[in-house]
Amino acid sequence: MNKKILCFSAAAVLLMASCKEEKTTDETASSGEVAATYEAKGMSDEYDAKIDEIVSKMTLEEKVGMLHGYSMFTNQGVEHLGIPEVHMADGPLGVREEIERMSWKPAGRTDDFATFYPAGGGLSATWNPEMAATFGKSIGEESRARGKDILLAPAFNIVRTPVGGRTFEYLTEDPFLNKSLIVPYVVSLQEQDVAACIKHFAANNQETNRGTVDVQMDERTLREIYLPAFEAAITKAKAYSVMGAYNKFRGDFLCENSYMLQDVLRDEWGFKGIVISDWAAVHSTKKALEAGTDLEMGTNKPTFDDFYFAKPLLEAVKAGTVTEAEIDKHVKRTLKLLFAVKAMGDTAGRAKGSISTDAHFKDAYNIASESVVLLKNSENLLPLKTDGLKSIAVIGANATKTHAQGGFGAGVKTKHEITPLDALKAKLPSSVAINYAAGYKTEFKPRSEGKFGDVVQEVNVPINTLDPKMIAEAVAAAKKSDVAVLFVGANRDYETEASDRMDLSLPFGQQGLIDAVKAANPKTIVVFIAGAPYDLNKTEKENSTIVWSWYNGSEGGNALADVLLGKVNPSGKLPWTMPVKLEDSPAHATKSFPGGATEEYKEGILVGYRWFDTKNVTPLYPFGYGLSYTTFEFANAKADKKEYATDDTITVTVDVKNTGKTDGKEVVQLYASKTGGSKVTRANKELKGFTKALVKAGSTESVTIKVPVKELAYYDVATKKWTVESGTYTFKLGSSSRDIKGEVSVNIK
């Protein structure tokens, strides 16, 4: 059997590893190597004496200047002491363009073009921690080339609702998959001498009323669902900074929440870095500072001197309500970060970085090419066979739409974004005629107004009326072509920060376009480009071929075209559950979302597939779902022992056979279930390991997944400890949460 596999497991996450036995031609990865690569050292204490000396020479005004914004994306440095400003940049999709120091207006520079990387949905759909490491390293190099000390990324709050405005960037609905991707990302980013700012801490799962909503949930839900990826980013990846979220949690704003910022973040997890407020997320001086916020940014005040951590803080110290020792504590944390990224101290050895390089565009391509999800291919229209193909209709605004910019929030200024139509024109034989029609307009109404607690499109409301002339053009193009490829979905003006969607309906009247094109040409391939679930019921029922892609970066069009043409065999898997209807999703089934002044997470630990699988609710497409141009069989699933102690690691192996004629990658997913009852409510199954295996046509690979017994623990609220119950556990191995192909049972002593 071959050893050319990608192996990512629970043990890999705890050690920050996957199973890397040898590199293959497509640079796939494995075990001991990754454990060493992703073992973060964290912030050094070697400069503490130097930091104490520096702080002793600072005036109170200089200290306070370091604790609040002094421009849109910096604090204030102290030049005579060699303390530089801390330079920050947004970066979920790539390093944001430079803006003016004192306003949000673009600076108009010509040297701030950057690579546009796939959004979080695309990265997570790869189910590949090596792609996350590639992402972190690549964007870290770009951050350094732009002189940044902190990249305000990654964002990885749990996808709690399908209509969440930031679903497109918030990775997944599963805490294990989130931490499996975040740790290699953060480690690889910080190896480039730039700090990750992990966000948004915490329970920041909706845009509706995000600045005021008070999130309420039980402690077990917090610990098992909403904190694991943050904890791993701190304790394993040693993230240097954390962004405090907008919302409240149990009554206190998260930037003045001592339980979250002090008790959990610092006392339990040992965090040594700095807490940066989200822009305008600070609401007090003394309370926010003493709770643990170190740097206040973006507060909506007339001048930077009016920030809560500016003149009001100076006045508080002079009045004796805040001690200078408290100020010193926060200044020292910031200096520690500056030494960690070599902005102070060993500055000569600091990484220089590079930006908008061919190598970085290749990184973006590699991520995108592993993210595309094949949802349906019942008539084998894909991959497209160009032999004998004379014409192809390319229809839909998303065939030509770029996604680097748009919506509310950070985009990327890039010179290079290949659209699907660009790519198909370059890759199809010259003998194939391309008949293009836009099909629909992406137009919006004026913003909706709503009362407190309503889900409102605060930014853009789509116009859903189709233009008869555009439909006629699309139908004509489809009729005269051998095959039609329809590019529909959404864009970043519709899926956006600061706005949750009202429902799952396709915007811009696209369902009517899909119906018309399918009627005109039975050989229609429907390609969705979007970041969040939509109502695909009618499309799934009436179309044989459906592909899902994402806001997939500078090379997104090339990656998508290569999948359609068969150069790349799709291996993406859905990172969230696509429901039949919105009311099936847990936050909506429990009538929790969007709440009002308070939002109670009534579904508890049953988020995403946990709810669907435990409540026996059938999804349209399950978590972890994705097809291939080949087929796979699983056999001989077994564990290395029958019984384990709590400190042991369980090794599960399974043979994966490629039964088709095309080489392909399969994601082997391991879900754990407690058999025979439990002291606490448990989900039907929980993801505890996965492996992405490259299997040649006709070959069989032996795949290994390691699960530390401690990964099977639940959080015991009474003892405030993680507890592993003794008894029998069943490991379910499959290609999605619903497609289980083998089981292994083990006993825990």
Side-chain angles (χ1 to χ4, degrees), residues 36-57:
T37 301
Y38 298 153
E39 193 62 41
K41 295 179 181 178
M43 288 185 169
S44 170
D45 296 330
E46 66 178 301
Y47 294 104
D48 284 2
K50 178 66 173 175
I51 289 170
D52 289 341
E53 180 187 349
I54 292 170
V55 173
S56 71
K57 297 176 181 178

Side-chain angles (χ1 to χ4, degrees), residues 156-387:
F156 52 91
N157 292 92
I158 292 293
V159 174
R160 178 175 177 252
T161 167
V163 297
R166 301 186 85 155
T167 295
F168 77 95
E169 73 171 300
Y170 267 0
L171 295 192
T172 91
E173 68 187 25
D174 181 75
F176 182 87
L177 182 54
N178 267 16
K179 71 180 181 180
S180 301
L181 299 171
I182 285 305
V183 171
Y185 178 115
V186 170
V187 172
S188 300
L189 169 66
Q190 293 189 160
E191 285 175 346
Q192 306 309 311
D193 298 329
V194 60
C197 184
I198 59 173
K199 63 186 190 182
H200 304 85
F201 190 70
N204 181 247
N205 307 103
Q206 65 186 62
E207 295 301 286
T208 303
N209 304 328
R210 68 176 182 176
T212 54
V213 67
D214 185 3
V215 172
Q216 300 287 329
M217 73 175 81
D218 65 89
E219 190 70 10
R220 185 176 166 218
T221 297
L222 176 69
R223 297 291 182 150
E224 293 190 17
I225 302 297
Y226 296 97
L227 291 188
F230 283 102
E231 182 176 7
I234 297 300
T235 62
K236 305 300 178 185
K238 312 295 186 189
Y240 294 164
S241 64
V242 171
M243 182 177 288
Y246 282 120
N247 52 291
K248 293 179 180 178
F249 180 71
R250 297 177 183 165
D252 286 327
F253 283 108
L254 277 157
C255 285
E256 52 187 49
N257 194 305
S258 60
Y259 177 68
M260 296 297 287
L261 298 184
Q262 187 61 49
D263 297 355
V264 175
L265 185 62
R266 295 194 185 276
D267 294 345
E268 288 188 33
W269 297 350
F271 178 59
K272 292 184 177 182
I274 67 170
V275 173
I276 304 169
S277 77
D278 205 340
W279 268 234
V282 170
H283 299 270
S284 64
T285 299
K286 177 180 171 67
K287 185 175 182 179
L289 189 76
E290 293 181 350
T293 298
D294 299 294
L295 178 53
E296 176 195 2
M297 296 300 298
T299 297
N300 186 22
K301 296 286 186 179
T303 72
F304 295 114
D305 286 337
D306 296 313
F307 280 24
Y308 290 102
F309 286 11
K311 282 183 179 178
L313 182 55
L314 276 171
E315 292 167 0
V317 175
K318 291 174 181 177
T321 58
V322 173
T323 67
E324 189 162 355
E326 179 70 30
I327 302 291
D328 290 352
K329 180 169 65 176
H330 300 276
V331 171
K332 288 176 181 180
R333 290 171 183 168
T334 303
L335 290 173
K336 197 176 190 74
L337 181 143
L338 287 169
F339 277 106
V341 299
K342 300 177 183 175
M344 296 179 68
D346 180 24
T347 58
R350 193 177 194 189
K352 303 299 182 187
S354 57
I355 196 164
S356 291
T357 64
D358 289 343
H360 290 171
F361 293 133
K362 183 64 162 61
D363 291 338
Y365 171 86
N366 288 341
I367 297 165
S369 66
E370 284 204 23
S371 75
V372 178
V373 183
L374 180 62
L375 294 179
K376 191 175 182 181
N377 195 27
S378 60
E379 295 179 4
N380 294 317
L381 292 184
L382 290 175
L384 281 169
K385 300 167 185 66
T386 57
D387 291 346

Side-chain angles (χ1 to χ4, degrees), residues 86-98 109 111-117 134-154 185-186 188-197 341 343 350-357 360 363 412:
V86 178
H87 291 271
M88 294 167 271
D90 278 321
L93 309 178
V95 186
R96 184 177 186 156
E97 71 179 303
E98 298 298 330
R109 289 167 50 171
D111 61 349
D112 58 349
F113 291 94
T115 303
F116 170 28
Y117 294 93
T134 295
F135 195 124
K137 178 178 183 294
S138 195
I139 199 171
E141 290 172 345
E142 299 226 340
S143 302
R144 283 304 310 127
R146 290 271 296 281
K148 304 306 176 188
D149 303 305
I150 300 175
L151 183 71
L152 303 172
Y185 178 115
V186 170
S188 300
L189 169 66
Q190 293 189 160
E191 285 175 346
Q192 306 309 311
D193 298 329
V194 60
C197 184
V341 299
R350 193 177 194 189
K352 303 299 182 187
S354 57
I355 196 164
S356 291
T357 64
H360 290 171
D363 291 338
V412 184

Side-chain angles (χ1 to χ4, degrees), residues 497-514:
E497 178 185 349
S499 175
D500 293 322
R501 289 180 289 139
M502 290 179 281
D503 54 41
L504 293 178
S505 59
L506 286 169
F508 315 120
Q510 291 175 94
Q511 188 61 61
L513 174 64
I514 295 170

